[in-house]
Amino acid sequence: MSEIRVGILGLGTIGLGAARILIEQQSLMARRLGKTLRLVAAADRSLERDFGLDLSSVRLSDDANDIVTADDIDLVIELIGGYEPARSFVATAIEHGKHVVTANKALIAKHGEELLPLAEKHGVAIGFEAAVGGGIPCLKALREGLAANAVESVYGILNGTCNFILTKMENEGADYADVLKEAQELGYAEADPTFDVEGIDTAHKLSILASMSFGSKIKFDEVFTEGISKITAADIGAVADLGYRIKLLGIAKPHCVDGESKIEMRVHPTLVPLSAQMAQVSDSYNAVMVSGDFVEHTVYTGRGAGERPTASAVIADVMDIARICSVDGGVKYLAPPMGYVAPERQDVATLPMADVHSEYYLRFMVQDEPGVIAAISSILADHRISLEAVSQKERHATHAVAVIMLTHGTTEGNLQAAMSRIIALPSVQEDVLILRKESFGV
Ligand code: HSE
């Protein structure tokens, strides 16, 4: 039986998970592949520790260059994370004729447009299923299972840390800062949680999903991104009273504006109806909802993070590549990595956020005095923004009260124009919260 020789960069949580599968599931995988996967080498900056795994048959190095240039390695698994030095190591591995599998969404979102053509040029495969949705095989479903469809929309709960925090805040009435601390103690959130809680991790993943959905270049830098750090327990309660739950959603949709294709891409805390499928996805679970013109709505859900689920997706990519290599020794994808053949991947403009249409939840802190709600409503009316619901919460110690408004649909540009006038009112404080609402078109 022939074999594929594998090297791993990074023996952190996911790296050790991948190593564990390669060692412990070797015979199961050989039965599925007709081919052996052998972990030959691994690199990590710190080798003086207990890995909790017998790596005695694996060549260990503290220099990733030993792996990406080694003659006896066919496939490199990159699990260092982040932009650099991951980008350089992956590029070097490709240039040395090695297939690459990575769980690194930041890498693909930021440098995919460099690395994908490089892999094609060198005739090697690049797999990144684990970069989106952790253990959920959502990229494979989108790229292959839904290939007959024009994708109409993609919605994702793509960050386990944020979903854990929002779920806990709702269930326990707890404050953001306390739950974030607990998430860090449980190992869900990074020590520096900025990428998670400010929506950047979700934006990385959404930019990959959008590109794969619409055959467009990856444009991570153009994703409108807001995180969850301004959400209070009081907002979560007020939203629940209105029949909604707050989820950090990534949303991507195609548009045709004056005959020109544009793509809407946004990440922000979103009101979802309590009855919606996406509202039921709790704790650190992720979900991706893809709607296609023939298949209609499909939903994929499961563990979006963690050693075992993410390693499961990493090794599934390794197995796909091993299978293709076994056909004729070359690399022919079952599907191109982004689901469209390279010349058909287009440079599609991003829809400006000002043109995005939504309904809104607005929370103002105002002085409790006559005429404040009338003044706010009057400005909204000037901008043709119609109200669906209005409520006022109890007075705070500072004599400010929370006024909550749900609007009907308008554009972001129109809403922001009205908001800048409202914030200038003397009775309205500056800490306004704007949340967008989604009904998922179902
Ligand atoms: N920090 C990420 C999350 C891990 O919380 O979902 C998976 O990308």
Side-chain angles (χ1 to χ4, degrees), residues 366-420:
V366 305
Q367 293 306 313
D368 191 5
E369 56 194 30
V372 182
I373 291 183
I376 295 172
S377 309
S378 153
I379 293 173
L380 291 172
D382 282 352
H383 289 261
R384 311 292 305 154
I385 298 170
S386 168
L387 291 172
E388 182 188 329
V390 179
S391 74
Q392 180 176 313
K393 292 290 169 186
E394 64 282 359
R395 190 185 283 220
H396 282 215
T398 55
H399 296 287
V401 293
V403 170
I404 287 156
M405 296 183 169
L406 273 189
T407 77
H408 289 295
T410 186
T411 61
E412 181 83 14
N414 191 37
L415 189 276
Q416 293 294 351
M419 291 304 282
S420 60

Short mmCIF file of all heavy atoms in Angstrom, two decimals, residues 366-420:
data_model
loop_
_atom_site.label_atom_id
_atom_site.label_comp_id
_atom_site.label_asym_id
_atom_site.label_seq_id
_atom_site.Cartn_x
_atom_site.Cartn_y
_atom_site.Cartn_z
N VAL A 366 -31.53 58.41 27.03
CA VAL A 366 -32.00 59.80 26.91
C VAL A 366 -32.33 60.37 28.28
O VAL A 366 -32.59 59.64 29.24
CB VAL A 366 -33.25 59.90 26.00
CG1 VAL A 366 -32.98 59.26 24.64
CG2 VAL A 366 -34.46 59.25 26.66
N GLN A 367 -32.36 61.70 28.36
CA GLN A 367 -32.85 62.36 29.57
C GLN A 367 -34.36 62.18 29.61
O GLN A 367 -35.05 62.34 28.59
CB GLN A 367 -32.51 63.86 29.53
CG GLN A 367 -31.02 64.17 29.63
CD GLN A 367 -30.38 63.52 30.85
OE1 GLN A 367 -30.90 63.62 31.96
NE2 GLN A 367 -29.26 62.84 30.66
N ASP A 368 -34.88 61.82 30.79
CA ASP A 368 -36.31 61.56 30.92
C ASP A 368 -37.05 62.89 31.05
O ASP A 368 -37.31 63.38 32.14
CB ASP A 368 -36.53 60.68 32.17
CG ASP A 368 -37.95 60.15 32.23
OD1 ASP A 368 -38.70 60.40 31.27
OD2 ASP A 368 -38.29 59.50 33.22
N GLU A 369 -37.34 63.50 29.91
CA GLU A 369 -38.04 64.78 29.93
C GLU A 369 -39.01 64.85 28.74
O GLU A 369 -38.85 64.08 27.77
CB GLU A 369 -37.03 65.94 29.87
CG GLU A 369 -36.09 65.86 28.69
CD GLU A 369 -34.89 66.79 28.82
OE1 GLU A 369 -34.45 67.06 29.94
OE2 GLU A 369 -34.40 67.24 27.77
N PRO A 370 -40.00 65.75 28.79
CA PRO A 370 -41.04 65.76 27.75
C PRO A 370 -40.48 66.00 26.35
O PRO A 370 -39.55 66.79 26.18
CB PRO A 370 -41.96 66.93 28.17
CG PRO A 370 -41.64 67.20 29.60
CD PRO A 370 -40.23 66.77 29.83
N GLY A 371 -41.04 65.29 25.39
CA GLY A 371 -40.75 65.58 23.99
C GLY A 371 -39.56 64.86 23.38
O GLY A 371 -39.29 65.01 22.19
N VAL A 372 -38.82 64.05 24.21
CA VAL A 372 -37.62 63.40 23.65
C VAL A 372 -37.99 62.37 22.58
O VAL A 372 -37.45 62.38 21.47
CB VAL A 372 -36.79 62.72 24.76
CG1 VAL A 372 -35.53 62.12 24.17
CG2 VAL A 372 -36.43 63.71 25.83
N ILE A 373 -38.95 61.52 22.93
CA ILE A 373 -39.33 60.47 21.96
C ILE A 373 -39.93 61.12 20.71
O ILE A 373 -39.66 60.71 19.58
CB ILE A 373 -40.30 59.45 22.60
CG1 ILE A 373 -39.53 58.64 23.66
CG2 ILE A 373 -40.90 58.52 21.55
CD1 ILE A 373 -40.31 57.56 24.34
N ALA A 374 -40.70 62.18 20.92
CA ALA A 374 -41.29 62.88 19.77
C ALA A 374 -40.21 63.45 18.87
O ALA A 374 -40.29 63.37 17.63
CB ALA A 374 -42.21 64.00 20.26
N ALA A 375 -39.14 64.00 19.49
CA ALA A 375 -38.05 64.60 18.69
C ALA A 375 -37.34 63.53 17.88
O ALA A 375 -37.03 63.73 16.69
CB ALA A 375 -37.07 65.32 19.61
N ILE A 376 -37.08 62.38 18.52
CA ILE A 376 -36.40 61.28 17.80
C ILE A 376 -37.29 60.79 16.65
O ILE A 376 -36.84 60.64 15.51
CB ILE A 376 -36.07 60.11 18.77
CG1 ILE A 376 -35.05 60.57 19.83
CG2 ILE A 376 -35.54 58.90 18.00
CD1 ILE A 376 -34.81 59.54 20.93
N SER A 377 -38.57 60.56 16.98
CA SER A 377 -39.50 60.03 15.96
C SER A 377 -39.63 60.99 14.78
O SER A 377 -39.74 60.57 13.63
CB SER A 377 -40.90 59.81 16.55
OG SER A 377 -40.81 59.08 17.71
N SER A 378 -39.59 62.27 15.10
CA SER A 378 -39.76 63.26 14.04
C SER A 378 -38.58 63.22 13.06
O SER A 378 -38.76 63.31 11.84
CB SER A 378 -39.93 64.62 14.71
OG SER A 378 -39.51 65.64 13.89
N ILE A 379 -37.37 63.05 13.60
CA ILE A 379 -36.20 62.94 12.70
C ILE A 379 -36.30 61.66 11.86
O ILE A 379 -36.06 61.66 10.65
CB ILE A 379 -34.88 62.97 13.51
CG1 ILE A 379 -34.71 64.35 14.15
CG2 ILE A 379 -33.69 62.63 12.62
CD1 ILE A 379 -33.54 64.47 15.11
N LEU A 380 -36.69 60.57 12.50
CA LEU A 380 -36.85 59.31 11.74
C LEU A 380 -37.89 59.50 10.64
O LEU A 380 -37.71 59.03 9.51
CB LEU A 380 -37.23 58.16 12.69
CG LEU A 380 -36.13 57.71 13.67
CD1 LEU A 380 -36.67 56.71 14.67
CD2 LEU A 380 -34.93 57.12 12.93
N ALA A 381 -38.98 60.20 10.95
CA ALA A 381 -40.03 60.43 9.96
C ALA A 381 -39.49 61.28 8.79
O ALA A 381 -39.79 61.01 7.63
CB ALA A 381 -41.22 61.13 10.61
N ASP A 382 -38.66 62.28 9.11
CA ASP A 382 -38.03 63.09 8.05
C ASP A 382 -37.29 62.21 7.05
O ASP A 382 -37.19 62.53 5.87
CB ASP A 382 -36.98 64.05 8.65
CG ASP A 382 -37.61 65.25 9.31
OD1 ASP A 382 -38.83 65.43 9.17
OD2 ASP A 382 -36.86 66.01 9.97
N HIS A 383 -36.71 61.14 7.57
CA HIS A 383 -35.92 60.24 6.71
C HIS A 383 -36.75 59.07 6.18
O HIS A 383 -36.19 58.10 5.67
CB HIS A 383 -34.68 59.73 7.48
CG HIS A 383 -33.65 60.81 7.69
ND1 HIS A 383 -32.53 60.94 6.90
CD2 HIS A 383 -33.60 61.84 8.58
CE1 HIS A 383 -31.83 61.99 7.30
NE2 HIS A 383 -32.44 62.55 8.32
N ARG A 384 -38.05 59.18 6.33
CA ARG A 384 -38.98 58.14 5.85
C ARG A 384 -38.68 56.78 6.50
O ARG A 384 -38.81 55.73 5.86
CB ARG A 384 -38.92 58.00 4.32
CG ARG A 384 -39.03 59.28 3.53
CD ARG A 384 -40.39 59.95 3.62
NE ARG A 384 -41.51 59.08 3.22
CZ ARG A 384 -42.75 59.23 3.66
NH1 ARG A 384 -43.06 60.17 4.54
NH2 ARG A 384 -43.71 58.43 3.25
N ILE A 385 -38.25 56.82 7.77
CA ILE A 385 -38.00 55.56 8.49
C ILE A 385 -39.20 55.30 9.39
O ILE A 385 -39.51 56.09 10.30
CB ILE A 385 -36.70 55.65 9.32
CG1 ILE A 385 -35.51 55.87 8.39
CG2 ILE A 385 -36.51 54.38 10.15
CD1 ILE A 385 -34.22 56.21 9.12
N SER A 386 -39.87 54.19 9.12
CA SER A 386 -41.11 53.88 9.81
C SER A 386 -40.83 52.99 11.02
O SER A 386 -39.94 52.14 10.99
CB SER A 386 -42.01 53.18 8.79
OG SER A 386 -43.09 52.60 9.42
N LEU A 387 -41.57 53.22 12.11
CA LEU A 387 -41.33 52.46 13.34
C LEU A 387 -42.27 51.26 13.45
O LEU A 387 -43.46 51.38 13.16
CB LEU A 387 -41.53 53.37 14.55
CG LEU A 387 -40.45 54.45 14.69
CD1 LEU A 387 -40.82 55.42 15.80
CD2 LEU A 387 -39.10 53.81 14.98
N GLU A 388 -41.70 50.13 13.90
CA GLU A 388 -42.51 48.94 14.12
C GLU A 388 -42.90 48.84 15.60
O GLU A 388 -44.00 48.41 15.93
CB GLU A 388 -41.68 47.71 13.71
CG GLU A 388 -42.42 46.39 13.85
CD GLU A 388 -41.50 45.19 13.63
OE1 GLU A 388 -40.54 45.29 12.84
OE2 GLU A 388 -41.74 44.16 14.27
N ALA A 389 -41.99 49.25 16.49
CA ALA A 389 -42.28 49.17 17.94
C ALA A 389 -41.43 50.19 18.67
O ALA A 389 -40.33 50.53 18.24
CB ALA A 389 -41.98 47.76 18.46
N VAL A 390 -41.95 50.68 19.80
CA VAL A 390 -41.21 51.64 20.64
C VAL A 390 -41.43 51.23 22.09
O VAL A 390 -42.54 50.87 22.48
CB VAL A 390 -41.75 53.08 20.46
CG1 VAL A 390 -40.98 54.05 21.36
CG2 VAL A 390 -41.66 53.53 19.01
N SER A 391 -40.36 51.24 22.90
CA SER A 391 -40.56 51.01 24.33
C SER A 391 -39.56 51.82 25.12
O SER A 391 -38.51 52.22 24.61
CB SER A 391 -40.45 49.52 24.68
OG SER A 391 -39.11 49.12 24.64
N GLN A 392 -39.91 52.10 26.36
CA GLN A 392 -39.01 52.86 27.23
C GLN A 392 -38.75 52.05 28.47
O GLN A 392 -39.68 51.50 29.08
CB GLN A 392 -39.65 54.20 27.58
CG GLN A 392 -38.77 55.04 28.48
CD GLN A 392 -39.38 56.41 28.74
OE1 GLN A 392 -39.83 57.09 27.83
NE2 GLN A 392 -39.40 56.81 30.01
N LYS A 393 -37.47 51.92 28.84
CA LYS A 393 -37.10 51.14 30.02
C LYS A 393 -36.96 52.06 31.23
O LYS A 393 -36.94 53.29 31.11
CB LYS A 393 -35.79 50.39 29.76
CG LYS A 393 -35.93 49.30 28.71
CD LYS A 393 -36.74 48.15 29.25
CE LYS A 393 -37.11 47.16 28.14
NZ LYS A 393 -38.01 46.11 28.57
N GLU A 394 -36.80 51.43 32.40
CA GLU A 394 -36.76 52.21 33.65
C GLU A 394 -35.58 53.16 33.70
O GLU A 394 -34.56 52.95 33.05
CB GLU A 394 -36.72 51.25 34.85
CG GLU A 394 -35.48 50.39 34.94
CD GLU A 394 -35.51 49.20 33.99
OE1 GLU A 394 -36.50 49.01 33.25
OE2 GLU A 394 -34.52 48.46 33.98
N ARG A 395 -35.72 54.18 34.51
CA ARG A 395 -34.72 55.22 34.65
C ARG A 395 -33.46 54.68 35.35
O ARG A 395 -33.56 53.90 36.29
CB ARG A 395 -35.34 56.31 35.52
CG ARG A 395 -34.56 57.58 35.60
CD ARG A 395 -35.25 58.47 36.59
NE ARG A 395 -36.45 59.08 36.00
CZ ARG A 395 -36.79 60.35 36.23
NH1 ARG A 395 -36.07 61.11 37.00
NH2 ARG A 395 -37.87 60.85 35.70
N HIS A 396 -32.28 55.08 34.88
CA HIS A 396 -31.02 54.70 35.53
C HIS A 396 -30.70 55.68 36.64
O HIS A 396 -31.32 56.75 36.73
CB HIS A 396 -29.88 54.72 34.51
CG HIS A 396 -29.87 53.51 33.63
ND1 HIS A 396 -28.73 52.91 33.18
CD2 HIS A 396 -30.89 52.78 33.12
CE1 HIS A 396 -29.04 51.89 32.42
NE2 HIS A 396 -30.33 51.79 32.37
N ALA A 397 -29.70 55.34 37.45
CA ALA A 397 -29.29 56.23 38.54
C ALA A 397 -28.88 57.60 38.00
O ALA A 397 -29.04 58.62 38.66
CB ALA A 397 -28.12 55.61 39.28
N THR A 398 -28.38 57.61 36.77
CA THR A 398 -27.92 58.86 36.18
C THR A 398 -29.08 59.68 35.61
O THR A 398 -28.86 60.69 34.94
CB THR A 398 -26.96 58.55 35.02
OG1 THR A 398 -27.67 57.70 34.12
CG2 THR A 398 -25.68 57.91 35.48
N HIS A 399 -30.30 59.21 35.81
CA HIS A 399 -31.51 59.85 35.29
C HIS A 399 -31.66 59.65 33.78
O HIS A 399 -32.52 60.27 33.17
CB HIS A 399 -31.58 61.35 35.62
CG HIS A 399 -31.66 61.57 37.10
ND1 HIS A 399 -32.79 61.30 37.83
CD2 HIS A 399 -30.74 61.99 37.99
CE1 HIS A 399 -32.57 61.54 39.10
NE2 HIS A 399 -31.31 61.96 39.23
N ALA A 400 -30.83 58.81 33.19
CA ALA A 400 -31.03 58.49 31.78
C ALA A 400 -31.98 57.30 31.70
O ALA A 400 -31.99 56.45 32.59
CB ALA A 400 -29.70 58.15 31.12
N VAL A 401 -32.79 57.26 30.66
CA VAL A 401 -33.64 56.09 30.44
C VAL A 401 -33.32 55.50 29.07
O VAL A 401 -32.90 56.22 28.16
CB VAL A 401 -35.16 56.43 30.49
CG1 VAL A 401 -35.57 56.84 31.89
CG2 VAL A 401 -35.52 57.48 29.48
N ALA A 402 -33.55 54.18 28.96
CA ALA A 402 -33.31 53.52 27.67
C ALA A 402 -34.60 53.59 26.85
O ALA A 402 -35.66 53.17 27.31
CB ALA A 402 -32.90 52.07 27.90
N VAL A 403 -34.48 54.15 25.65
CA VAL A 403 -35.60 54.16 24.71
C VAL A 403 -35.23 53.23 23.56
O VAL A 403 -34.14 53.35 22.99
CB VAL A 403 -35.88 55.58 24.17
CG1 VAL A 403 -36.86 55.53 23.01
CG2 VAL A 403 -36.39 56.47 25.29
N ILE A 404 -36.13 52.28 23.30
CA ILE A 404 -35.83 51.27 22.28
C ILE A 404 -36.82 51.41 21.13
O ILE A 404 -38.03 51.54 21.36
CB ILE A 404 -35.91 49.86 22.92
CG1 ILE A 404 -34.68 49.69 23.81
CG2 ILE A 404 -35.96 48.77 21.86
CD1 ILE A 404 -34.86 48.70 24.89
N MET A 405 -36.29 51.39 19.92
CA MET A 405 -37.15 51.49 18.75
C MET A 405 -36.79 50.38 17.76
O MET A 405 -35.61 50.14 17.51
CB MET A 405 -36.99 52.85 18.06
CG MET A 405 -37.44 53.99 18.94
SD MET A 405 -37.31 55.58 18.10
CE MET A 405 -38.22 56.61 19.26
N LEU A 406 -37.82 49.74 17.23
CA LEU A 406 -37.62 48.80 16.11
C LEU A 406 -38.14 49.49 14.86
O LEU A 406 -39.27 49.99 14.87
CB LEU A 406 -38.45 47.54 16.33
CG LEU A 406 -37.88 46.38 17.14
CD1 LEU A 406 -38.81 45.18 17.00
CD2 LEU A 406 -36.48 46.00 16.69
N THR A 407 -37.31 49.51 13.83
CA THR A 407 -37.76 50.18 12.60
C THR A 407 -38.16 49.17 11.54
O THR A 407 -37.74 48.02 11.57
CB THR A 407 -36.64 51.07 12.00
OG1 THR A 407 -35.71 50.22 11.32
CG2 THR A 407 -35.93 51.89 13.06
N HIS A 408 -38.90 49.65 10.57
CA HIS A 408 -39.09 48.89 9.33
C HIS A 408 -37.86 49.12 8.46
O HIS A 408 -36.93 49.82 8.88
CB HIS A 408 -40.37 49.34 8.63
CG HIS A 408 -41.62 48.91 9.35
ND1 HIS A 408 -41.97 47.58 9.51
CD2 HIS A 408 -42.58 49.62 9.98
CE1 HIS A 408 -43.09 47.49 10.19
NE2 HIS A 408 -43.49 48.72 10.50
N GLY A 409 -37.87 48.57 7.28
CA GLY A 409 -36.67 48.57 6.45
C GLY A 409 -36.26 49.94 5.92
O GLY A 409 -37.10 50.77 5.58
N THR A 410 -34.94 50.15 5.86
CA THR A 410 -34.39 51.34 5.21
C THR A 410 -32.94 51.01 4.85
O THR A 410 -32.44 49.93 5.16
CB THR A 410 -34.46 52.57 6.14
OG1 THR A 410 -34.04 53.72 5.39
CG2 THR A 410 -33.58 52.44 7.37
N THR A 411 -32.27 51.94 4.20
CA THR A 411 -30.85 51.68 3.91
C THR A 411 -29.99 52.15 5.07
O THR A 411 -30.38 53.06 5.82
CB THR A 411 -30.38 52.41 2.63
OG1 THR A 411 -30.52 53.81 2.85
CG2 THR A 411 -31.15 51.96 1.41
N GLU A 412 -28.82 51.56 5.16
CA GLU A 412 -27.87 51.93 6.22
C GLU A 412 -27.51 53.41 6.10
O GLU A 412 -27.41 54.12 7.10
CB GLU A 412 -26.62 51.05 6.10
CG GLU A 412 -25.57 51.31 7.14
CD GLU A 412 -25.80 50.60 8.47
OE1 GLU A 412 -26.65 49.68 8.52
OE2 GLU A 412 -25.14 50.96 9.45
N GLY A 413 -27.34 53.89 4.88
CA GLY A 413 -26.95 55.28 4.69
C GLY A 413 -28.02 56.22 5.23
O GLY A 413 -27.72 57.21 5.91
N ASN A 414 -29.28 55.91 4.94
CA ASN A 414 -30.38 56.74 5.42
C ASN A 414 -30.48 56.69 6.94
O ASN A 414 -30.67 57.70 7.61
CB ASN A 414 -31.68 56.25 4.76
CG ASN A 414 -32.82 57.21 5.00
OD1 ASN A 414 -32.64 58.42 5.00
ND2 ASN A 414 -34.01 56.67 5.24
N LEU A 415 -30.33 55.47 7.49
CA LEU A 415 -30.40 55.31 8.95
C LEU A 415 -29.29 56.12 9.63
O LEU A 415 -29.53 56.84 10.59
CB LEU A 415 -30.29 53.80 9.26
CG LEU A 415 -30.54 53.26 10.68
CD1 LEU A 415 -29.33 53.32 11.57
CD2 LEU A 415 -31.76 53.87 11.37
N GLN A 416 -28.07 56.03 9.08
CA GLN A 416 -26.94 56.73 9.70
C GLN A 416 -27.12 58.24 9.62
O GLN A 416 -26.75 58.97 10.54
CB GLN A 416 -25.62 56.30 9.04
CG GLN A 416 -25.22 54.85 9.30
CD GLN A 416 -24.88 54.54 10.76
OE1 GLN A 416 -24.78 55.42 11.60
NE2 GLN A 416 -24.74 53.25 11.07
N ALA A 417 -27.71 58.70 8.50
CA ALA A 417 -27.95 60.15 8.37
C ALA A 417 -28.93 60.61 9.46
O ALA A 417 -28.73 61.65 10.11
CB ALA A 417 -28.50 60.46 6.98
N ALA A 418 -29.97 59.81 9.67
CA ALA A 418 -30.93 60.16 10.72
C ALA A 418 -30.27 60.08 12.10
O ALA A 418 -30.46 60.97 12.95
CB ALA A 418 -32.13 59.21 10.66
N MET A 419 -29.44 59.06 12.30
CA MET A 419 -28.81 58.88 13.62
C MET A 419 -27.88 60.04 13.95
O MET A 419 -27.79 60.45 15.11
CB MET A 419 -28.04 57.55 13.66
CG MET A 419 -28.93 56.33 13.63
SD MET A 419 -30.16 56.29 14.92
CE MET A 419 -29.18 55.78 16.29
N SER A 420 -27.19 60.56 12.95
CA SER A 420 -26.26 61.65 13.27
C SER A 420 -27.04 62.88 13.73
O SER A 420 -26.59 63.63 14.59
CB SER A 420 -25.33 61.95 12.11
OG SER A 420 -26.10 62.33 11.00
#
